[in-house]
Amino acid sequence: MERDEVEVLSRKGDRAVTQRPDRRYPSLQVPGDTFAELRGLFLRAARTLRERPGDPDALDDLDYGVREMTEMLEFYERVLAERGIDRPYFPSVVQER
């Protein structure tokens, strides 16, 4: 097992923004179970929409998943801004909010 020290820049609930000394940009840490639930949500919605295009429940699931990911990204961006760290991507990449 390898040990690596990271600096925790901020925590919010079960999420954290961390910085490894060998990385230019911080990381957003999300627990594996949270990530797995989001993935499952998107998989189920995609499967349902292939079978029943426009299904309102699947669209609600997608909206929920996008909101969750948007909150994570906003947290990440807020921490970077507080630390004076540029985003590792262009705003146009995440413009659809």
Side-chain angles (χ1 to χ4, degrees), residues 66 69-78 87 89 91 93-97:
V66 169
M69 293 179 76
T70 299
E71 286 179 18
M72 291 178 196
L73 189 60
E74 287 172 347
F75 168 58
Y76 178 75
E77 290 179 348
R78 192 168 42 255
R87 287 179 292 207
Y89 48 84
V93 173
V94 293
Q95 209 146 25
E96 290 294 321
R97 289 191 178 171

Side-chain angles (χ1 to χ4, degrees), residues 22-91:
D22 62 331
R23 299 284 302 171
R24 179 174 177 191
Y25 294 106
S27 297
L28 174 64
Q29 286 192 293
V30 179
D33 60 329
T34 300
F35 185 82
E37 285 295 321
L38 275 175
R39 181 181 179 274
L41 182 95
F42 284 112
L43 284 171
R44 285 188 303 276
R47 185 178 314 121
T48 299
L49 289 172
R50 277 191 210 91
E51 296 168 2
R52 296 186 304 274
D55 181 281
D57 291 333
L59 293 172
D60 287 346
D61 284 347
L62 288 176
D63 288 339
Y64 173 79
V66 169
R67 279 193 308 274
E68 285 292 304
M69 293 179 76
T70 299
E71 286 179 18
M72 291 178 196
L73 189 60
E74 287 172 347
F75 168 58
Y76 178 75
E77 290 179 348
R78 192 168 42 255
V79 172
L80 266 59
E82 290 169 358
R83 300 284 181 142
I85 302 169
D86 292 330
R87 287 179 292 207
Y89 48 84
F90 293 106

